[in-house]
Amino acid sequence: DAMAKSKYEYVRTFEHDPVLLPNTWVVVRLDGRGFTKFTELHSFAKPNDACALRLMNRCAEQVLRDFGDVVLAYGQSDEYSFVLHRASTLYGRRLSKVITAICSTFTAHYAFQWPQVFPADRPLRAPATFDARAMCYPTTANLRDYLSWRQADCHINNLYNTCFWALVHGGATAQEAQARLTPTVSSQKHELLFQQFKTNYNDLPAQFRKGTVLARTSLDDRPDGGDDRRRKHIVVLHEDIIGDAFWSRYSDVLD
Amino acid sequence: DAMAKSKYEYVRTFEHDPVLLPNTWVVVRLDGRGFTKFTELHSFAKPNDACALRLMNRCAEQVLRDFGDVVLAYGQSDEYSFVLHRASTLYGRRLSKVITAICSTFTAHYAFQWPQVFPADRPLRAPATFDARAMCYPTTANLRDYLSWRQADCHINNLYNTCFWALVHGGATAQEAQARLTPTVSSQKHELLFQQFKTNYNDLPAQFRKGTVLARTSLDDRPDGGDDRRRKHIVVLHEDIIGDAFWSRYSDVLD
Amino acid sequence: DAMAKSKYEYVRTFEHDPVLLPNTWVVVRLDGRGFTKFTELHSFAKPNDACALRLMNRCAEQVLRDFGDVVLAYGQSDEYSFVLHRASTLYGRRLSKVITAICSTFTAHYAFQWPQVFPADRPLRAPATFDARAMCYPTTANLRDYLSWRQADCHINNLYNTCFWALVHGGATAQEAQARLTPTVSSQKHELLFQQFKTNYNDLPAQFRKGTVLARTSLDDRPDGGDDRRRKHIVVLHEDIIGDAFWSRYSDVLD
Amino acid sequence: DAMAKSKYEYVRTFEHDPVLLPNTWVVVRLDGRGFTKFTELHSFAKPNDACALRLMNRCAEQVLRDFGDVVLAYGQSDEYSFVLHRASTLYGRRLSKVITAICSTFTAHYAFQWPQVFPADRPLRAPATFDARAMCYPTTANLRDYLSWRQADCHINNLYNTCFWALVHGGATAQEAQARLTPTVSSQKHELLFQQFKTNYNDLPAQFRKGTVLARTSLDDRPDGGDDRRRKHIVVLHEDIIGDAFWSRYSDVLD
């Protein structure tokens, strides 16, 4: 039998196994698949559903717990980016293993933890699925630009969506809301929210405007005022990561 | 804001995006991560847990439903292989998208469908996760050799495990069982089962000995004797796929 | 010293080493770099320089002599395609080694054999250089389509160039010739050659119209009527390789 | 005809075209193929042939002239490494184009310039060929370690070869020389040269001991005392590149 098997073993040589360049920051980004339909099926609040965001963040935190080489994560909407330390040798840096293990862990916890986050009258009706990809960044400047890109994307989308859903909740059709917003620039959207809906955009929850950062740091940011500086723990933040302030404060994250 | 974002967009050029060679059979194989621990946590029956196998098969069937280009799947133990038709252009055959989308779909259904398959006194205590990889096979002969390799592996492992657990359930320690089996060849394992445990190995369920094949065919194998030949449907089989008989009978699977 | 060296050896892990999929036809195509300038510098006859083509063919033949796994080559203009047998394990099918070794061999012989092919009053003034790429074809049909593509390209370019240079040699400027040809289809170009230049395109040398095929065969095509069928030798042909006739006659080339 | 051609164009999608990660130092290393035989055929002086090294250096200089993005090259024995600036976008950083264009340029000049370097009684009898590979280095530290690795290799090999050929020229057989050297460490080889051959290893030409560096710099090292600081020119050096001194002095090379 083993002999019978051995004559087929040659098929292993066809395996496709690219390796992520050593000594680079590896970013694995997950994106929800078909989430427009998924959010409708589960009646997500618009433009932001607090339970859904909480669940995304819990899944991301689980990824950090399971993969010690992930030093930082950034999430917004139905996407999450995970940063592997440039020195990581996780799975020999094989692309397929790295992206599927992280994607599967996130996906599994999304279904598993749903009932812990959503109320009983909002059960999971169909499972959420994600795809994933990997990028290698040779320098910290490249990595920060990547994260800035995602946070700028969060800002643009959330400002638009906040206006869009304000108009729709105010009685406009989707077509009308879109027509109203298409010609506007950022300042005009702020103005529209303020004039028409008495909403100061900057007063909205930072989580909606900035997304969520999970970082592994020895800096103590935990609300209980604990003082465990012996080893890094995970902090959850909703801050600007485009400017330098965050990176000065949490300078040990990329160490 | 859009301008601010655009200056970061260059980071997209770092994306790592290998493509699976066109006109080849693509096999995506999923493997359970840390399943030794997972099976202990959930008290899987040994050597085979019927519920666990049923759940694996349901998840695989879901993959065939969601991905029309998957023409065949083969599963055994905690692994499943999915065959994409050589003409498939799923996601432009981009490796990352293909393996993560399939892996995530399988993973999500594993957690989601668990309560539908396992009794209430066997709840999911921690989510199962999987990794995935892809292989390209240029010829049908190569593809069949791959599938033969997996089924030969199933046979070797299941024969060993059947003996091992018979000895352990009969009072042996794991070490004793292993020592008893290490020097034996296949025929001696059959003999051991028959002499010592009155078990004819070939009478054990085919699912345990052969694994599970899901195939998309227009051939009618459904127990209700239906006659829907208008389009292919999915059949679930526990048959030898090493010899030619299966491939003669289900010749339309690889069409 | 060896110890000093060993601390740097880790840099080898950064090597980029993709492998050509096993059991596929590998085509390595070389293209002349900056040949417009090169042909002017060396006063190549237009549209076809017999010496230049002879040199290309000699270099290609040398590649077949040095690389036993190359079963066929097809050349036209300043390009040459080499077909490695699908069973080839040359350099472990590593892309970099395969394309650079073949490209370097061809390039080296181009400079080395130039004086053997060109008359003494046409010395090599600057060395010709080439780039190379590789493609994997899973089926013989794909491979034949590749070769058909190159021969169709040869035909289209040569018909155009034959007309273009006839007009230019007849006194037209390059702009006038181009303007005259742009609106014409194939049959009109044939007509133009016949009416204006009394040239029947199909009477031009087959080498110009069809390009050159080098094939390794046991079929005896050698002019000396030899009968060495014991082992394959290299034949040089200027035939249609789009239709089936060539492949029927030389059926052992791809064996 | 164009239509006939277009139906084959799909074969282009099979092209294998990996890209070198942006913003990394790219090293392309060429190695002589079968140089043991080549050096025998051309009666190279052992352990170092001054003409052969001069030709290697001229070919490398030509690569720097033709490829403006190559900022540094390091050569020893029959190998040469070329460093492309991390900002280079040469050929869109496509691996195949980059390595074959550089390899072909070097190879072509080796044959072309041979008669300019070797005396008339040492003609080129068969062309030299090279293979090439590429590595990406994310940091300057990694790049320097790569170059240190090659120079340490040069030192180890040259010390060994100097001893080996001293013994052989002194009457030993190759086997005897090898047996004499195998158990020795570096200091013992220095001692052997000094005691037995009155040779102080460190007095041998730096080119043999250190290899050759070609660097693009605005620093004026030209023997004519010229003062062209307007743009970078190429300097040829035989210096230690493992320590910091070289990199401090030629700090603009990697700018």
Side-chain angles (χ1 to χ4, degrees):
Chain A
D1 296 355
M3 208 155 65
K5 184 183 166 192
S6 70
K7 83 171 173 192
Y8 304 123
E9 299 252 7
Y10 81 91
V11 297
R12 303 183 72 168
T13 62
F14 291 69
E15 208 165 308
H16 202 270
D17 212 3
V19 166
L20 299 157
L21 189 70
N23 198 22
T24 56
W25 298 106
V26 175
V27 176
V28 177
R29 184 171 79 241
L30 274 59
D31 286 282
R33 297 177 61 239
F35 255 56
T36 302
K37 197 172 152 199
F38 183 83
T39 59
E40 283 167 9
L41 181 63
H42 296 90
S43 310
F44 276 23
K46 297 289 183 171
N48 293 286
D49 187 289
C51 285
L53 291 175
R54 197 178 318 134
L55 180 56
M56 289 290 286
N57 295 344
R58 286 179 71 148
C59 295
E61 192 168 341
Q62 195 61 48
V63 169
L64 267 82
R65 294 201 187 288
D66 285 6
F67 298 90
D69 288 355
V70 175
V71 296
L72 185 105
Y74 174 73
Q76 56 127 331
S77 183
D78 64 346
E79 74 168 52
Y80 239 104
S81 298
F82 298 94
V83 180
L84 283 163
H85 195 281
R86 62 189 305 148
S88 173
T89 55
L90 179 66
Y91 299 128
R93 299 178 78 93
R94 279 177 293 152
L95 170 67
S96 298
K97 290 280 274 187
V98 168
I99 62 176
T100 58
I102 288 178
C103 183
S104 185
T105 298
F106 193 96
T107 301
H109 280 275
Y110 199 95
F112 185 66
Q113 298 201 24
W114 176 284
Q116 298 166 30
V117 172
F118 280 83
D121 62 350
R122 295 181 66 190
L124 183 61
R125 296 181 190 282
T129 61
F130 298 84
D131 61 39
R133 70 196 73 195
M135 290 75 68
C136 293
Y137 291 113
T139 65
T140 304
N142 292 145
L143 174 64
R144 280 190 53 185
D145 284 346
Y146 171 83
L147 294 166
S148 296
W149 175 50
R150 298 323 302 149
Q151 193 169 56
D153 183 77
C154 173
H155 171 66
I156 290 168
N157 289 338
N158 192 61
L159 179 56
Y160 181 93
N161 291 338
T162 301
C163 294
F164 179 88
W165 289 102
L167 291 165
V168 168
H169 294 151
T173 65
Q175 288 72 22
E176 288 164 353
Q178 195 186 323
R180 173 74 181 82
L181 292 171
T182 298
T184 62
V185 298
S186 177
S187 60
Q188 294 169 313
K189 293 194 184 74
H190 280 270
E191 195 64 14
L192 178 150
L193 284 174
F194 192 69
Q195 297 295 349
Q196 197 167 339
F197 300 101
K198 308 305 167 202
T199 298
N200 188 333
Y201 181 74
N202 293 323
D203 291 342
L204 294 176
Q207 177 174 10
F208 300 168
R209 293 179 292 112
K210 301 293 182 190
T212 298
V213 179
L214 302 184
R216 217 183 279 278
T217 178
S218 59
L219 207 71
D220 193 351
D221 268 56
R222 290 173 303 176
D224 64 1
D227 198 52
D228 178 4
R229 289 166 196 271
R230 286 162 303 174
R231 54 191 298 281
K232 291 188 176 180
H233 56 278
I234 299 164
V235 294
V236 183
L237 305 161
H238 311 294
E239 297 186 9
D240 175 88
I241 55 174
I242 298 179
D244 292 333
F246 173 87
W247 300 100
S248 298
R249 179 157 168 72
Y250 296 97
S251 60
D252 69 338
V253 170
L254 301 184
D255 276 356
Chain B
D1 295 353
M3 208 155 64
K5 183 183 167 194
S6 70
K7 83 173 173 192
Y8 303 124
E9 299 250 8
Y10 81 91
V11 298
R12 303 183 71 169
T13 61
F14 292 70
E15 208 164 310
H16 203 270
D17 212 3
V19 166
L20 300 158
L21 189 69
N23 198 21
T24 57
W25 298 105
V26 174
V27 175
V28 177
R29 183 171 78 242
L30 273 60
D31 285 283
R33 297 177 61 240
F35 255 57
T36 303
K37 198 174 151 199
F38 183 83
T39 60
E40 284 168 8
L41 182 62
H42 296 90
S43 309
F44 277 21
K46 299 288 184 169
N48 292 287
D49 187 288
C51 285
L53 291 175
R54 197 178 319 134
L55 179 55
M56 290 289 285
N57 295 344
R58 285 179 70 148
C59 294
E61 193 168 340
Q62 194 61 47
V63 169
L64 267 81
R65 294 200 186 288
D66 286 6
F67 298 90
D69 288 355
V70 175
V71 296
L72 185 105
Y74 174 73
Q76 56 128 329
S77 184
D78 63 346
E79 74 169 53
Y80 239 104
S81 299
F82 297 95
V83 180
L84 282 163
H85 195 280
R86 63 188 306 149
S88 174
T89 55
L90 180 66
Y91 300 128
R93 298 178 79 94
R94 279 177 292 154
L95 170 66
S96 299
K97 290 280 274 186
V98 167
I99 63 176
T100 58
I102 289 178
C103 183
S104 184
T105 298
F106 192 96
T107 301
H109 280 275
Y110 198 96
F112 184 68
Q113 298 201 25
W114 176 285
Q116 299 165 30
V117 171
F118 280 84
D121 62 349
R122 294 182 69 188
L124 183 62
R125 296 181 190 283
T129 61
F130 298 84
D131 60 38
R133 72 197 71 198
M135 289 76 68
C136 294
Y137 292 113
T139 65
T140 304
N142 291 146
L143 174 64
R144 280 191 53 186
D145 284 347
Y146 171 83
L147 294 166
S148 297
W149 176 51
R150 297 324 302 149
Q151 192 169 57
D153 183 78
C154 172
H155 171 67
I156 291 168
N157 290 339
N158 191 63
L159 178 57
Y160 181 94
N161 290 338
T162 300
C163 294
F164 179 88
W165 288 103
L167 292 165
V168 168
H169 293 152
T173 65
Q175 288 70 24
E176 289 164 353
Q178 195 186 324
R180 173 74 181 82
L181 292 171
T182 298
T184 61
V185 297
S186 177
S187 60
Q188 294 168 314
K189 293 194 185 73
H190 280 270
E191 195 65 15
L192 178 149
L193 285 174
F194 192 69
Q195 298 293 349
Q196 196 166 340
F197 300 102
K198 309 302 168 205
T199 298
N200 188 332
Y201 180 75
N202 293 323
D203 292 342
L204 294 176
Q207 177 174 10
F208 299 168
R209 293 179 292 112
K210 301 293 184 192
T212 299
V213 178
L214 303 184
R216 217 183 279 279
T217 178
S218 60
L219 208 71
D220 194 352
D221 267 57
R222 289 172 302 175
D224 63 3
D227 198 53
D228 179 4
R229 290 167 193 270
R230 286 162 302 174
R231 56 190 297 280
K232 291 187 176 182
H233 56 277
I234 300 164
V235 294
V236 183
L237 305 161
H238 311 294
E239 297 186 10
D240 177 87
I241 55 174
I242 298 179
D244 291 333
F246 173 87
W247 301 100
S248 298
R249 177 156 169 73
Y250 296 97
S251 60
D252 68 339
V253 169
L254 301 184
D255 278 355
Chain C
D1 297 354
M3 208 155 63
K5 183 183 168 194
S6 71
K7 83 171 173 193
Y8 304 122
E9 300 249 8
Y10 80 91
V11 297
R12 303 182 72 167
T13 62
F14 291 69
E15 207 164 311
H16 202 270
D17 212 3
V19 167
L20 299 158
L21 189 69
N23 198 22
T24 56
W25 299 106
V26 175
V27 175
V28 177
R29 185 172 76 244
L30 272 59
D31 286 283
R33 297 176 63 240
F35 255 56
T36 302
K37 198 174 150 197
F38 184 82
T39 59
E40 285 167 9
L41 181 62
H42 295 89
S43 309
F44 277 23
K46 297 289 183 172
N48 293 286
D49 187 288
C51 285
L53 290 177
R54 198 177 319 134
L55 180 55
M56 290 290 286
N57 294 345
R58 286 178 72 146
C59 294
E61 192 168 340
Q62 194 61 46
V63 169
L64 267 81
R65 295 201 185 287
D66 285 5
F67 298 91
D69 288 355
V70 174
V71 295
L72 185 105
Y74 175 74
Q76 55 129 327
S77 183
D78 64 346
E79 74 170 52
Y80 238 104
S81 298
F82 297 95
V83 180
L84 282 163
H85 195 280
R86 61 189 307 149
S88 173
T89 55
L90 179 66
Y91 299 128
R93 299 178 77 94
R94 280 177 291 152
L95 170 65
S96 298
K97 291 279 273 186
V98 167
I99 62 176
T100 57
I102 289 177
C103 182
S104 185
T105 298
F106 192 95
T107 301
H109 280 276
Y110 198 95
F112 185 67
Q113 299 201 24
W114 176 284
Q116 299 166 30
V117 171
F118 279 83
D121 62 349
R122 294 181 69 189
L124 182 62
R125 299 180 188 283
T129 61
F130 298 84
D131 61 38
R133 69 198 72 198
M135 290 75 68
C136 294
Y137 292 112
T139 64
T140 304
N142 292 146
L143 173 64
R144 281 191 51 187
D145 284 347
Y146 170 82
L147 294 167
S148 296
W149 176 51
R150 298 323 303 148
Q151 194 170 54
D153 183 77
C154 172
H155 170 66
I156 290 168
N157 290 338
N158 192 62
L159 178 56
Y160 181 93
N161 291 338
T162 301
C163 294
F164 178 88
W165 288 103
L167 291 165
V168 168
H169 294 152
T173 66
Q175 288 71 23
E176 288 164 353
Q178 194 185 327
R180 172 75 180 84
L181 292 171
T182 299
T184 61
V185 296
S186 177
S187 59
Q188 294 168 314
K189 294 194 184 74
H190 279 270
E191 194 65 14
L192 178 149
L193 286 174
F194 192 69
Q195 298 293 348
Q196 197 166 339
F197 301 101
K198 309 302 167 205
T199 299
N200 188 334
Y201 181 74
N202 293 324
D203 291 342
L204 295 176
Q207 177 174 11
F208 299 169
R209 293 179 293 112
K210 300 293 184 190
T212 299
V213 178
L214 303 184
R216 218 183 277 281
T217 179
S218 59
L219 207 70
D220 195 351
D221 268 57
R222 290 174 302 176
D224 63 0
D227 197 53
D228 179 3
R229 289 165 196 271
R230 287 162 301 173
R231 55 191 297 281
K232 291 187 177 181
H233 57 277
I234 299 165
V235 294
V236 183
L237 305 161
H238 311 294
E239 298 186 8
D240 176 87
I241 55 174
I242 298 180
D244 292 332
F246 173 87
W247 301 99
S248 298
R249 177 156 170 72
Y250 295 97
S251 60
D252 68 339
V253 169
L254 301 184
D255 277 354
Chain D
D1 296 353
M3 207 154 64
K5 183 183 168 194
S6 70
K7 84 173 174 192
Y8 304 123
E9 299 250 7
Y10 81 91
V11 297
R12 303 183 72 166
T13 63
F14 292 69
E15 208 165 311
H16 202 271
D17 211 4
V19 167
L20 299 158
L21 189 69
N23 198 22
T24 56
W25 298 105
V26 174
V27 175
V28 177
R29 185 173 77 241
L30 272 59
D31 285 284
R33 298 176 63 238
F35 255 56
T36 302
K37 198 173 151 199
F38 182 83
T39 59
E40 284 167 8
L41 181 62
H42 296 91
S43 310
F44 277 21
K46 299 288 183 171
N48 293 286
D49 187 286
C51 285
L53 291 176
R54 196 177 320 134
L55 179 56
M56 289 290 285
N57 294 346
R58 285 178 71 146
C59 294
E61 193 168 340
Q62 194 61 47
V63 169
L64 267 81
R65 295 201 186 287
D66 285 5
F67 298 90
D69 288 355
V70 174
V71 295
L72 185 106
Y74 174 74
Q76 55 128 329
S77 182
D78 64 346
E79 74 169 51
Y80 238 102
S81 299
F82 298 94
V83 180
L84 283 163
H85 195 279
R86 62 189 305 148
S88 172
T89 55
L90 179 66
Y91 300 127
R93 298 178 78 93
R94 280 177 291 153
L95 171 66
S96 298
K97 291 278 274 185
V98 168
I99 62 176
T100 57
I102 289 178
C103 183
S104 185
T105 298
F106 193 96
T107 301
H109 280 275
Y110 199 95
F112 184 68
Q113 299 201 23
W114 176 283
Q116 299 165 30
V117 172
F118 280 83
D121 62 349
R122 294 181 68 189
L124 183 62
R125 297 180 189 284
T129 61
F130 298 84
D131 60 38
R133 69 196 73 197
M135 290 75 68
C136 293
Y137 292 113
T139 65
T140 304
N142 293 144
L143 173 64
R144 280 191 52 187
D145 284 347
Y146 170 83
L147 294 166
S148 297
W149 175 51
R150 298 324 302 149
Q151 194 169 56
D153 182 79
C154 172
H155 171 67
I156 291 168
N157 290 338
N158 191 62
L159 179 56
Y160 181 93
N161 291 338
T162 302
C163 294
F164 179 88
W165 288 103
L167 291 165
V168 167
H169 294 151
T173 65
Q175 287 72 25
E176 288 164 353
Q178 194 185 325
R180 172 73 181 84
L181 292 171
T182 299
T184 63
V185 297
S186 175
S187 59
Q188 294 169 314
K189 292 195 185 74
H190 280 269
E191 195 65 15
L192 179 149
L193 284 175
F194 192 70
Q195 297 293 348
Q196 197 166 337
F197 301 101
K198 309 303 169 206
T199 298
N200 188 334
Y201 180 75
N202 294 323
D203 292 342
L204 294 175
Q207 177 174 9
F208 299 169
R209 291 179 295 112
K210 300 294 183 191
T212 299
V213 178
L214 303 184
R216 215 183 281 278
T217 178
S218 59
L219 207 71
D220 194 353
D221 268 55
R222 289 173 303 175
D224 62 3
D227 199 52
D228 179 3
R229 288 165 197 271
R230 287 163 300 174
R231 54 191 297 282
K232 292 188 175 180
H233 57 276
I234 299 165
V235 295
V236 182
L237 305 161
H238 311 293
E239 297 186 10
D240 176 87
I241 55 174
I242 297 179
D244 292 332
F246 173 87
W247 301 99
S248 298
R249 178 156 169 73
Y250 296 97
S251 60
D252 68 338
V253 170
L254 301 185
D255 276 355

